[in-house]
Amino acid sequence: MASASGSPVRVRFCPSPTGNPHVGLVRTALFNWAFARHHQGTLVFRIEDTDAARDSEESYEQLLDSMRWLGFDWDEGPEVGGPHAPYRQSQRMDIYRDVAARLLDAGHAYRCYCSQEELDTRREAARAAGRPSGYDGHCRDLTDAQVEEYTSQGREPIVRFRMPDEPITFTDLVRGEITYLPENVPDYGIVRANGAPLYTLVNPVDDAMMEITHVLRGEDLLSSTPRQIALYKALIGLGVAKEIPAFGHLPYVMGEGNKKLSKRDPQSSLNLYRERGFLPEGLLNYLSLLGWSLSADQDVFTIDEMVAAFDVTDVQPNPARFDLKKCEAINADHIRLLEIKDFTERCRPWLKAPAAPWAPEDFDEAKWQAIAPHAQTRLKVLSEITDNVDFLFLPEPVLDEASWTKAMKEGSDALLTTARANLAAADWTSPESLKEAVLAAGETHGLKLGKAQAPVRVAVTGRTVGLPLFESLEVLGKEKALARIDAALARLAA
Ligand code: GLU
Ligand code: ZN
C-alpha cells in the first residue's frame, strides 16, 4: 500500500513519554511497526513531550528501553536521527509558534478571550436548550474595539482553530466511511493562554512536516480526526503539509468485566509482563491478536510471519478483549519454540539474586543444563523457573506445608520406606529405572503410580507439583535424593 499520491508509506509512533507503557500503546507501536515493515516503509518514532510537568527525562529513557526490549527498531527518531529532526516535541517549540502565527495571519485561527466561567455558563445554557454544547464561536469575528476592551480587562487569549461550517467525511482504514457534522466539531484550542501549544496543534503539524502517510492509532483519538483533517487543509494552504494522511483507528482493548483497559489497570502495565518473564515475541504475538488475526486456525506465529501478512485494512473495528490466560498460553508456546540454548540463557535473570533464593555458590551449571529441557515444556512465563528448580540448588527442599499435608497420608511412611529401598537399588542414570522403582513400591502397597509418587515428590522437591519427577531425581542425584527421603521419614516418625 502506498499513500494516496503513491509515495512510500511513512507511519509514526508518537507516545507521550510515560515511564511504564501500557499494553494498548504497545499494540499501537506494533501495528505501526508491522505496517511499515510490511510495506518497506518508514517508521518515525516521535516523542510527544510537550507536557513538561509530566514528562521527565527518566520516563523518556524508560520508554526507549521498553521499545528496545520489545525488539522494535525505527528509521527516524531519537538516537537514529533523520531528515525531520528533532523528534522530541519539546525541542520543536519554535516550529509550533511559527505555524500558530501563520494560522492566525491567514484567518484559520483566532484569539478567544472567553473565560472559563463564561464558557461554562454558555455551555450549560446550550445544554438546557437542547443545542450543541461545544464552543459557540463567540470570538470568531471580534471587532477591534471588542479586542481592545478584552485586552484592557487583562484577559489573556487562547488561540482557537476555526472549523469549516461543513461536514467532514473520511474513510477510516479500519472503520470505513465516517462523517462528522459541523455542529459536533466546534472550534478548538490550539495554543494555551500562556503560549504553550496543545496536542491538537503539535501532533498534526508534526505529522504534516514529517510527511506521514498513514496515522494508525487507538480509537480514543477517532473524534480528533475531523479537527486534524481541517487543520491539515489549512496547513496545505500554507505550504506546511503536502497531503492529508489516511487514518486507521485500532479497536479499544477491554479488560476485566468488559471495561476499557485503563492505563491504571495493573494488567495493562508492560513492566509487569517483563518482570513476570514474558518473552517479547510471545507478548507481541498475543497483542497482535487484539484486533487482527493471521488466520482462523493459527494463533501462534513469529513476528516475521506477522509482518509478511499484516495489513491495517484487515483490522477488525469491534472491541478486543484482553485475555491474560490466552496471553500466557501463547507465551508458553513461544517458550517451547526457543532453541534450548536460548531458553537456558533467557532464564538467567531468574536464576540469580534477588529472584533466586539459593546462595550463588550453590548454583550448579551442569544441573541447570540437565534440567532445562524438562522445564522448557512446562513454563508459562520465565519467572516460574525459580520455584521449579530450587530443589536442585537449595541445601534442603522448600517445605510447603500444604503440599506436605496433601501428600503425606496414612501409610506414606511405609510407602516411602519401600520406595527408598527400591530407589537405592535402581539405575540412577535412567529415569525409566527410577520410575520402575516407585511403581513397584506402589504395587507393594496397593497404590497407583500417581499416588505413590506424590510423597516421593514432596520429600525430594518440597512441593506436590513440579517438573517430571524421575528426570528431577536423576538430575538431583542419588545421594541427595535418598537423604531427603530419609529426612521426610524422620519427620513422619516425629
Ligand atoms: N501522543 C499521543 C498519545 O499518546 C499520540 C496520539 C496520536 O497517535 O495521534 O495519545
Ligand atoms: Zn471566545
Side-chain angles (χ1 to χ4, degrees):
M1 182 181 291
S3 66
S5 66
S7 47
V9 162
R10 291 179 60 85
V11 290
R12 78 324 191 249
F13 174 55
C14 55
S16 299
T18 48
N20 182 2
H22 59 100
V23 291
L25 202 70
V26 175
R27 184 197 55 177
T28 300
L30 171 64
F31 283 21
N32 277 287
W33 179 83
F35 188 73
R37 294 296 166 260
H38 178 89
H39 293 290
Q40 277 126 40
T42 300
L43 176 64
V44 176
F45 184 10
R46 182 172 79 226
I47 311 287
E48 306 218 315
D49 58 348
T50 49
D51 192 346
R54 227 183 39 189
D55 308 325
S56 69
E57 202 57 27
E58 192 190 340
S59 49
Y60 165 75
E61 289 299 337
Q62 284 176 9
L63 173 66
L64 255 60
D65 179 58
S66 297
M67 291 300 118
R68 283 189 217 103
W69 179 75
L70 288 160
F72 292 136
D73 53 355
W74 48 94
D75 310 294
E76 293 179 25
E79 297 185 332
V80 299
H84 303 284
Y87 292 91
R88 291 182 73 171
Q89 290 188 325
S90 56
Q91 297 166 2
R92 301 172 61 81
M93 289 300 178
D94 292 347
I95 295 174
Y96 310 133
R97 213 166 289 131
D98 173 60
V99 173
R102 289 166 67 188
L103 287 167
L104 278 168
D105 280 349
H108 291 301
Y110 58 90
R111 293 192 173 80
C112 165
Y113 294 85
C114 299
S115 70
Q116 195 54 53
E117 297 77 65
E118 287 165 345
L119 294 172
D120 290 345
T121 312
R122 288 184 344 241
R123 183 182 311 113
E124 281 316 311
R127 227 177 244 151
R131 283 184 280 116
S133 59
Y135 184 71
D136 56 6
H138 179 271
C139 301
R140 270 191 162 199
D141 302 295
L142 297 178
T143 62
D144 290 350
Q146 282 170 307
V147 169
E148 214 164 291
E149 164 77 15
Y150 282 146
T151 309
S152 71
Q153 289 169 3
R155 295 192 185 219
E156 308 230 308
I158 67 161
V159 178
R160 254 186 220 283
F161 185 77
R162 187 189 303 269
M163 285 295 291
D165 295 313
E166 60 195 30
I168 292 181
T169 297
F170 61 96
T171 304
D172 190 277
L173 296 168
V174 176
R175 332 183 77 80
E177 191 175 287
I178 304 178
T179 296
Y180 281 88
L181 299 176
E183 57 265 39
N184 296 326
V185 195
D187 297 350
Y188 61 96
I190 55 175
V191 181
R192 286 208 177 92
N194 67 6
L198 291 162
Y199 160 78
T200 51
L201 176 70
V202 300
N203 176 278
V205 163
D206 281 347
D207 284 350
M209 298 185 82
M210 296 177 183
E211 298 177 48
I212 298 304
T213 59
H214 298 77
V215 170
L216 313 181
R217 59 187 177 185
E219 185 177 343
D220 50 321
L221 291 156
L222 181 62
S223 62
S224 65
T225 306
R227 298 167 167 191
Q228 293 179 354
I229 287 175
L231 177 54
Y232 248 98
K233 285 184 180 155
L235 294 176
I236 289 172
L238 296 178
V240 175
K242 287 202 183 107
E243 60 178 324
I244 299 173
F247 290 85
H249 289 89
L250 312 175
Y252 283 122
V253 180
M254 315 303 275
E256 292 298 323
N258 225 24
K259 282 212 297 281
K260 238 176 77 189
L261 199 63
S262 97
K263 280 177 217 176
R264 286 167 295 280
D265 248 309
Q267 241 205 78
S268 75
S269 131
L270 175 64
N271 286 353
L272 183 96
Y273 295 89
R274 213 171 148 174
E275 281 155 19
R276 284 193 60 206
F278 276 79
L279 305 181
E281 51 267 61
L283 187 62
L284 292 180
N285 182 161
Y286 179 68
L287 292 180
S288 77
L289 299 175
L290 298 175
W292 182 78
S293 64
L294 181 72
S295 75
D297 53 9
Q298 192 186 346
D299 274 350
V300 179
F301 41 83
T302 65
I303 198 89
D304 289 344
E305 288 175 289
M306 181 194 176
V307 166
F310 184 77
D311 223 324
V312 68
T313 46
D314 297 331
V315 173
Q316 294 300 311
N318 36 311
R321 200 172 78 80
F322 190 93
D323 178 346
L324 184 58
K325 285 259 165 346
K326 182 155 186 196
C327 185
E328 288 174 347
I330 286 181
N331 195 63
D333 284 326
H334 279 275
I335 290 179
R336 280 190 273 274
L337 285 170
L338 296 175
E339 300 279 341
I340 182 66
K341 213 167 151 269
D342 194 6
F343 172 75
T344 56
E345 289 315 309
R346 294 221 217 179
C347 286
R348 292 284 171 203
W350 287 277
L351 297 174
K352 41 185 207 216
W358 52 83
E361 60 273 20
D362 288 342
F363 178 75
D364 182 321
E365 183 64 30
K367 282 190 165 57
W368 166 236
Q369 298 287 341
I371 203 73
H374 306 294
Q376 187 180 10
T377 55
R378 291 281 184 123
L379 303 187
K380 295 196 294 290
V381 292
L382 295 177
S383 62
E384 291 169 349
I385 194 61
T386 319
D387 283 356
N388 274 287
V389 301
D390 62 357
F391 73 96
L392 289 173
F393 309 124
L394 287 169
E396 308 289 334
V398 176
L399 237 188
D400 173 44
E401 283 300 336
S403 292
W404 179 271
T405 317
K406 198 165 151 204
M408 301 302 182
K409 300 259 157 49
E410 264 309 304
S412 288
D413 48 349
L415 174 99
L416 276 177
T417 307
T418 312
R420 191 213 187 277
N422 293 356
L423 283 168
D427 172 7
W428 279 73
T429 63
S430 152
E432 226 5 80
S433 169
L434 301 175
K435 180 177 170 185
E436 288 302 325
V438 174
L439 191 68
E443 273 162 14
T444 305
H445 298 277
L447 295 171
K448 292 221 168 66
L449 180 63
K451 288 257 186 290
Q453 75 176 34
V456 178
R457 180 188 284 284
V458 170
V460 174
T461 71
R463 296 188 180 87
T464 47
V465 289
L467 304 184
L469 178 61
F470 305 107
E471 284 78 1
S472 298
L473 291 174
E474 184 195 8
V475 175
L476 180 65
K478 181 175 183 177
E479 198 184 325
K480 278 193 180 156
L482 294 184
R484 287 181 185 187
I485 294 174
D486 288 339
L489 279 167
R491 191 169 192 247
L492 283 171

